[in-house]
Every structure is written in structure tokens, then in C-alpha cells.
Amino acid sequence: MKVVNEDKGDGELEQSRLMPIKLDSYKPLREIVFETLREAIIEGRFGPGERLMEVQLADEMGVSRTPVREAIRKLELEGFVVMIPRKGAYVASYSVKDIVDVFEVRTALEGLAAGLAAERVTPDELEEMERAVLQIYEVSHGNNLDVLVAKDTEFHDLIYKASRNQRLVQIITHLKEQIQRFRTTSLAVPGRSKDAVEEHRGIVEAISDRNVELATALAREHIENAEQQLLLSAMGEEKEKHD
């Protein structure tokens, strides 16, 4: 993950940083292109503030501009790309402060949601949470980041739902783009998904025991651990950049 304090500007791509797409997957071409570009951004091959040129990206991957255009739109929805009127698409930039700001809010909201869920969860919802944790555990042993992120998102959505607080859900939804980008980057860090599974299990157990204080504390700790992983990664890359 790359972190900067200022955008690079309109610098164009100088060299190929993508491999030609291999059509040996069951996935639709647009999904393969999307995953390829997202991975390149997460790995820092395209830096924050860098312009994404549809024609050049399409040439590098050996595809038409249509799936590239669709992928960029999806990347914008997930917070990886920003569209600037009359200029084009740019890799979204964010600083250490951006990470801290988002996680301060998310930590408070996730803790509140888990505490309320411990008070209000139904037996059916508890069963769904337990099933979700098992699914995340199974997926974490593979290398499909898309499915892992989707299952992790579903797990947290179940807790929001069990909180029975629609205003809380709406506020978290407004942060969805930032949360999804950070969630994807965090879960891509080796070892983080395994730790997350154990943290999820603890949260569900506390909710099942109707232990409001413990559920709140464990949910907050879970988000704080993800934040620390991101900050360590970000600061490490910044140090490498300046060495």
C-alpha cells in the first residue's frame, strides 16, 4: 500500500506494469481486468495520484477499452480511484491521517454495533454469524481476495443488522467506500485473515453470551488491529521510499 500527502499530478504511465490477461479462468473478462488493476494499485505499481489511461492499460493487458472502463468505474465505487471532470481517472490518494480518521469513526461504530447486537440478536442471526465465521475461515486458506473481502463484509453486515439501529447502519454505509478499500488492503497482508478469523470468533461468542461490554471491547480491538496493520504497512513503505 502506498501512502502520500500530496497528489503526483497528471503524470502518465511510463512503463508496462501489467501482464497480458490470460483467459484461463471461469470469471468474466471484466472481473479479471478489475482484479488485475486493483491488485496493481494495492501493490503500489500504480501510485496514489497517478493517472490511469484507458488506452494504455488496455494495450498492456491485451484487451479492449470496454472492460478497462468498467473496471475503473468499479474501482471508483470501492474508493481506489477518483474521477476528475475533464481530466480522467486517478488512483485515489490517502495519508496516514486519512487512515486514522476513518478508523477512529469505524472503531466507535463497530463497537457500538457489537454491543447493541449482544442485547438484541436473534438465534437465527447468531447462527448466520457463526456460519459466516466458518466461511471466512475456509476462504482464508485460499488465495481469492475477492471472496474473502465479500465474506468479511457480510459478517460485519450481520452485526450491523443485529444492532437494530438503522441510523448506525446508514452512517456506516456512508463510509463504505473508504472501509472497503482499507478492508481489501488489510486482508491482503499475509497473516491478517487468520488473525481476523480468531477475532471474529471472539466477537460472536461475546454476542452469543449477551456480554455487551466484552462484545464492544472485542469489536473495537478487531478494528484497531486492522488499523495497526495498515499503519505499519504504510509507514514501512514510506520509509522504503525515502531510503
Side-chain angles (χ1 to χ4, degrees):
M1 180 181 66
K2 298 287 187 180
V3 180
V4 296
N5 291 320
E6 295 181 0
D7 290 350
K8 290 182 179 180
D10 292 349
E12 296 185 6
L13 309 182
E14 297 177 353
Q15 59 184 6
S16 176
R17 284 162 282 180
L18 299 171
M19 297 294 291
I21 295 293
K22 294 182 179 180
L23 295 177
D24 55 359
S25 171
Y26 65 89
K27 297 178 182 177
L29 178 60
R30 63 180 180 278
E31 285 299 316
I32 300 175
V33 172
F34 164 73
E35 291 172 9
T36 299
L37 289 177
R38 186 180 63 183
E39 180 181 0
I41 292 172
I42 290 173
E43 292 180 352
R45 279 179 273 154
F46 297 125
E50 185 168 357
R51 188 177 181 185
L52 298 177
M53 308 290 290
E54 285 184 13
V55 173
Q56 190 162 355
L57 292 173
D59 287 344
E60 290 181 17
M61 289 184 284
V63 299
S64 70
R65 292 177 61 182
T66 299
V68 173
R69 187 178 302 115
E70 292 175 350
I72 288 175
R73 288 173 182 166
K74 189 172 180 180
L75 287 167
E76 181 186 15
L77 291 175
E78 293 201 359
F80 287 93
V81 168
V82 293
M83 300 298 298
I84 300 178
R86 297 183 295 280
K87 287 191 175 182
Y90 291 79
V91 177
S93 299
Y94 56 91
S95 64
V96 167
K97 188 176 187 304
D98 292 327
I99 296 174
V100 172
D101 286 351
V102 170
F103 274 87
E104 280 181 345
V105 176
R106 189 183 174 199
T107 298
L109 294 175
E110 295 276 355
L112 175 60
L116 292 174
E119 293 179 342
R120 304 168 179 175
V121 69
T122 67
D124 286 344
E125 288 170 338
L126 270 174
E127 186 177 338
E128 286 185 279
M129 290 180 194
E130 291 167 356
R131 188 182 301 116
V133 172
L134 179 59
Q135 290 174 340
I136 294 171
Y137 172 77
E138 293 172 345
V139 173
S140 68
H141 286 76
N143 57 3
N144 194 323
L145 182 60
D146 268 343
V147 176
L148 179 60
V149 170
K151 294 301 179 183
D152 186 82
T153 301
E154 289 174 11
F155 171 77
H156 286 276
D157 285 346
L158 289 171
I159 295 178
Y160 306 153
K161 176 185 174 184
S163 76
R164 301 285 186 280
N165 189 314
Q166 192 57 40
R167 294 297 183 186
L168 184 153
V169 174
Q170 289 173 351
I171 293 171
I172 291 178
T173 299
H174 287 315
L175 288 173
K176 185 175 182 180
E177 289 181 9
Q178 295 96 318
I179 289 174
Q180 283 300 92
R181 180 175 186 181
F182 293 143
R183 173 181 278 135
T184 301
T185 306
S186 174
L187 289 174
V189 175
R192 177 55 197 157
S193 61
K194 180 180 179 181
D195 291 340
V197 169
E198 294 306 314
E199 292 163 11
H200 288 162
R201 283 176 175 157
I203 294 169
V204 174
E205 287 178 8
I207 292 174
S208 178
D209 291 340
R210 306 289 177 174
N211 191 328
V212 175
E213 290 186 4
L214 183 58
T216 300
L218 291 178
R220 290 178 63 92
E221 182 180 358
H222 172 58
I223 303 304
E224 288 168 354
N225 287 343
E227 177 186 14
Q228 288 304 309
Q229 189 69 70
L230 281 169
L231 290 174
L232 286 173
S233 177
M235 291 175 179
E237 291 186 1
E238 281 293 282
K239 185 177 183 298
E240 288 179 7
K241 187 171 66 176
H242 291 98
D243 283 349

